[in-house]
Amino acid sequence: MSLINQTPAWKALEQHWGQVKGIAMRDLFASDPGRAQRLRLSAGGLDLDYSKNLITEQTRSLLLNLAETADLSGWIGRLFAGESINNTEQRAVLHIALRNRSNRPILVDGRDVMPLVNEVLDRMESFVALVRSGEWRGFQGQPIRDIVNIGIGGSNLGPKMVCTALGAYGSDELRVHFVSNVDGTHLVETLRDLDPARTLFIVASKTFTTQETMTNANSARDWLLAASRDPAAVAKHFVAVSTSAERVSAFGIDTQNMFGFWDWVGGRYSLWSAIGLPIALAVGYDRFVELLEGAFAMDEHFRTTPLAENMPVVLGLIGLWYANFGGARTHAVLPYDQYLRLLPAYLQQGDMESNGKGVTRGGVAVDYTTGPVVWGEPGTDGQHAFFQLIHQGTQLIPADFIGAIRSHNEMGDHHLKLMANFFAQTEALMRGRTTEEALAEMSEAGVPEERAQLLARHRTFPGSRPTNSILMERLTPYTLGALIALYEHRIFVQGVLWGINSFDQWGVELGKQLAGVILDELREGRVWADHDPSTRALLEAFIRGRSA
Ligand code: G6Q
């Protein structure tokens, strides 16, 4: 198949951007009173208002036409049918099976995977009950108080983000910590105040070979053994989440205490699997199931809703509109919810590792933009930092605003102030402020004419800056599950449109290989391998510094 940007559907959009880019978004609203009502969708407890975008009815239909050209519906069908759509790794992509609450059979190589999924869920439920009830005891016979998840990338970011997002559902009786960085500081600082006799480690690694995780796991075991002085303590204080029973066993963890998952679960899509064990421990198994149910609701919406009314599809197409036709290079995710503060970092991996690709599924280099840089911080903090550039800078930065109607921590008018800022920002970004408006405002405030003239250009806001507003009643396990699944599917939609494989990560694999030789050199204190002059000089300086 030819590259998507060679198709008539793409060319039509290119031309259309030329017509739309100069339109003021405020005029779109003025000329079409029903716009806000029409450009909204609901699914999985989430309400999306996407009317503050630079799109017309024609844009929508041209984008949908592009989706049809890329056979998006066919790809959604293939995803849910368990086909091997991760073609470079020859794997199915079935995070949707992990939260398939209908238990509808999903076949991989002719075998229904649902019994496997349910069996691991049952084991998680029993284990969580033992730990949370205090029946699971450490080497001195005490219940567990601290859980330390050791994992990195997909084996860290998802559960860490969800545990933070569901902070309102946790308790101080069982605290969950995450160690990912191979920088010893991470482990040392995390363990500083913990009691080995009351600490349980989860070693979370799909492959059980990742350098950072295995290094941290070994050091954690040393820390435990220094206190317990008994190798038998490992069985009481270490459990593993992995696809490799052999390597888990070689590490010294009893495979009775191992929770499995499968190669058809990608790391960055794995929080729904046993990788979510810290979530279930932190908030309880039932709430973990609610998280799965929320994601399932979004899956069902995505699987069965026509493209025009399909929330992940609509968001994916709008993102592509700005990236490929409007020249946007980044996408801001701005949660107006302190509990969602790690969502941007989580989505950074989800999106950038999935769609940061330069060749099509068939290996042909693309000459169009693929995945954007994803970034963001919670509001209102971001407003006092980088919002200036979104309002008045020279780049187009599409942004998603995410908020809840009710807070878990209602206190005075905090939540009203928080959300007033959410709404004000999206309104200001859309409307902007004309020079005439700026002048009129200053005149009303009594600013002398000369000064007003000087300031008018600075106080002008171009407006027409696109935002999506996502609102939920409250941030619950259910709405969070739906929100994460929404973004997962948005990533998939864009990957399909760009013709790339969103589910491999050869860039990460390279990183996993590269450091090995240099590590040997640093250990030996001698540079012997072939390096460029800059790297060689850096290594020599480092070795000199260490031996001084
Ligand atoms: C995710 C990536 C990557 C992976 C980590 C950890 O999709 O593949 O982030 O999750 O490299 O890998 P392990 O779980 O195998 O330790």
Side-chain angles (χ1 to χ4, degrees):
M1 193 191 130
S2 60
L3 290 176
I4 188 77
N5 64 346
Q6 300 306 314
T7 61
W10 185 283
K11 305 269 180 214
L13 278 158
E14 263 171 358
Q15 207 184 13
H16 181 62
W17 177 262
Q19 295 154 0
V20 168
K21 68 176 183 201
I23 299 178
M25 224 187 267
R26 55 163 84 183
D27 292 342
L28 291 176
F29 280 97
S31 63
D32 175 8
R35 178 180 175 87
Q37 277 313 312
R38 226 175 37 256
L39 303 190
R40 57 192 307 155
L41 293 170
S42 295
L46 307 179
D47 291 322
L48 165 70
D49 175 338
Y50 66 100
S51 63
K52 292 192 186 82
N53 278 293
L54 211 46
I55 56 172
T56 63
E57 282 308 312
Q58 199 192 348
T59 321
R60 281 214 303 167
S61 91
L62 290 174
L63 284 168
L64 289 165
N65 198 15
L66 187 72
E68 271 162 35
T69 302
D71 186 27
L72 178 57
S73 301
W75 281 101
I76 295 174
R78 289 190 266 286
L79 169 78
F80 282 90
E83 287 187 29
S84 265
I85 60 171
N86 175 355
N87 64 321
T88 59
E89 296 182 310
Q90 297 180 303
R91 290 175 186 165
V93 176
L94 281 179
H95 42 286
I96 52 108
L98 302 167
R99 60 227 190 183
N100 170 20
R101 304 305 297 164
S102 71
N103 268 320
R104 170 179 65 83
I106 296 180
L107 307 183
V108 173
D109 299 329
R111 188 167 167 220
D112 183 12
V113 298
M114 289 317 298
L116 303 173
V117 169
N118 292 327
E119 187 203 317
V120 174
L121 282 173
D122 287 346
R123 291 193 53 227
M124 286 170 71
E125 182 176 17
S126 312
F127 177 71
V128 167
L130 283 177
V131 175
R132 282 174 65 90
S133 67
E135 273 175 73
W136 183 286
R137 300 286 165 127
F139 68 88
Q140 286 178 347
Q142 293 169 286
I144 299 300
R145 189 185 54 200
D146 289 282
I147 308 281
V148 180
N149 187 83
I150 297 179
I152 196 165
S155 301
N156 167 64
L157 286 163
K160 185 166 80 167
M161 182 274 285
V162 172
C163 284
T164 307
L166 299 181
Y169 298 85
S171 94
D172 280 346
E173 276 157 41
L174 195 63
R175 302 175 300 195
V176 182
H177 314 264
F178 291 85
V179 173
S180 52
N181 200 338
V182 75
D183 183 341
T185 302
H186 203 173
L187 188 66
V188 167
E189 288 292 339
T190 305
L191 298 185
R192 190 184 298 287
D193 297 324
L194 304 195
D195 175 0
R198 303 193 61 186
T199 300
L200 178 76
F201 292 96
I202 302 173
V203 184
S205 176
K206 183 172 169 180
T207 54
F208 234 70
T209 57
T210 305
Q211 185 195 58
E212 293 90 333
T213 300
M214 299 328 294
T215 304
N216 278 323
N218 278 311
S219 299
R221 187 174 48 188
D222 292 346
W223 177 80
L224 174 77
L225 292 177
S228 69
R229 299 180 185 284
D230 176 9
V234 172
K236 298 187 166 99
H237 292 269
F238 275 81
V239 300
V241 180
S242 183
T243 54
S244 172
E246 207 183 325
R247 295 196 193 105
V248 166
S249 175
F251 178 86
I253 297 178
D254 187 344
T255 46
Q256 297 280 358
N257 296 336
M258 168 184 159
F259 299 86
F261 61 117
W262 310 273
D263 69 359
W264 40 261
V265 181
R268 56 193 172 277
Y269 297 93
S270 63
L271 71 88
W272 322 99
S273 71
I275 289 289
L277 191 59
I279 305 170
L281 285 163
V283 301
Y285 179 78
D286 291 350
R287 296 221 163 95
F288 181 68
V289 169
E290 285 172 33
L291 181 83
L292 302 182
E293 280 166 354
F296 177 61
M298 188 55 72
D299 292 345
E300 286 299 275
H301 167 83
F302 182 52
R303 186 171 72 86
T304 61
T305 310
L307 300 186
E309 309 297 326
N310 192 312
M311 202 184 279
V313 172
V314 167
L315 284 181
L317 291 175
I318 290 174
L320 181 135
W321 173 230
Y322 298 122
N324 293 106
F325 304 97
R329 290 289 172 272
T330 81
H331 182 85
V333 177
L334 308 170
Y336 275 62
D337 193 315
Q338 191 63 14
Y339 284 125
L340 287 176
R341 61 189 175 276
L342 298 185
L343 183 68
Y346 167 77
L347 292 177
Q348 231 159 33
Q349 181 192 24
D351 202 315
M352 292 164 73
E353 202 167 277
S354 296
N355 286 343
K357 309 284 164 65
V359 296
T360 64
R361 303 165 54 75
V364 178
V366 302
D367 54 359
Y368 46 83
T369 297
T370 57
V373 173
V374 176
W375 60 286
E377 285 288 327
T380 55
D381 285 16
Q383 288 173 215
H384 298 268
F386 53 78
F387 269 47
Q388 164 65 37
L389 189 144
I390 307 183
H391 280 289
Q392 288 188 305
T394 52
Q395 299 189 39
L396 174 65
I397 302 186
D400 293 347
F401 282 67
I402 304 165
I405 291 171
R406 289 180 196 284
S407 166
H408 283 286
N409 298 296
E410 292 286 348
M411 179 172 56
D413 61 358
H414 282 249
H415 195 61
L416 301 188
K417 284 178 176 155
L418 173 72
M419 293 307 288
N421 276 283
F422 172 121
F423 300 123
Q425 288 295 326
T426 62
E427 186 166 45
L429 285 164
M430 185 279 285
R431 282 185 56 82
R433 182 161 60 194
T434 64
T435 307
E436 294 68 43
E437 284 168 348
L439 280 169
E441 247 178 54
M442 284 187 283
S443 148
E444 208 167 297
V447 177
E449 174 65 18
E450 200 182 330
R451 181 148 178 79
Q453 286 296 342
L454 179 77
L455 286 180
R457 294 297 306 156
H458 297 277
R459 301 188 65 164
T460 300
F461 288 68
S464 301
R465 309 252 150 154
T467 60
N468 295 304
S469 296
I470 299 173
L471 271 181
M472 61 196 99
E473 219 271 317
R474 189 191 287 273
L475 181 64
T476 62
Y478 186 91
T479 51
L480 179 66
L483 182 69
I484 301 168
L486 168 64
Y487 277 100
E488 285 179 347
H489 295 320
R490 177 186 183 276
I491 291 166
F492 175 63
V493 166
Q494 297 194 332
V496 168
L497 270 284
W498 288 321
I500 59 181
N501 178 1
S502 302
F503 301 109
D504 58 11
Q505 55 282 312
W506 299 102
V508 182
E509 312 301 331
L510 177 67
K512 288 187 178 186
Q513 287 162 17
L514 277 183
V517 170
I518 293 183
L519 178 60
D520 286 344
E521 291 175 303
L522 297 184
R523 279 187 178 135
E524 282 175 41
R526 187 171 66 87
V527 183
W528 46 262
D530 189 23
H531 297 289
D532 64 82
S534 160
T535 307
R536 167 170 288 275
L538 285 167
L539 294 176
E540 284 169 353
F542 183 82
I543 289 168
R544 265 199 313 279
R546 296 278 293 183
S547 57

